């Protein structure tokens, strides 16, 4: 819970950057590695992974918009 409090204490801009820096590489790597299992080219799977990794970022932006 201390990590969540630390994250909430950051400015919105810092939160956006942190979420993007953490989620984007994980999403790309997961999509790249899992794509052949679904019969898709690896690089295309990486792109799909990036799209899926944008979900937490979108949720963060929507939460901030709901506060205002």
């Amino acid at each position: 819970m201390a990590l969540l409090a630390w994250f909430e204490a950051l400015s919105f801009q810092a939160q956006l950057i942190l979420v993007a820096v953490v989620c984007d590489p994980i999403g790309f790597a997961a999509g790249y590695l899992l794509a052949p299992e679904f019969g898709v080219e690896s690089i295309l799977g990486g792109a799909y992974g990036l799209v899926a990794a944008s979900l937490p970022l979108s949720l963060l932006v929507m939460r901030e918009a709901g506060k205002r």
Side-chain angles (χ1 to χ4, degrees), residues 4-6 12-16 19 22-23 25 27-28 37-38 46-48 52 54-56 59-60 63-64 67-68:
L4 183 58
W6 172 78
F12 177 63
Q13 294 85 355
Q15 288 178 359
L16 281 177
V19 169
V22 170
C23 290
F28 181 82
E37 297 295 322
F38 297 106
Y48 290 154
S54 70
L55 181 66
L59 292 174
L60 179 66
R63 187 184 67 160
E64 182 69 21
K67 288 181 183 177
R68 295 178 186 228

Side-chain angles (χ1 to χ4, degrees), residues 12-42:
F12 177 63
Q13 294 85 355
Q15 288 178 359
L16 281 177
I17 291 171
L18 184 63
V19 169
V21 165
V22 170
C23 290
D24 285 349
I26 292 171
F28 181 82
Y32 186 85
L33 294 174
L34 291 174
E37 297 295 322
F38 297 106
V40 179
E41 291 290 324
S42 294

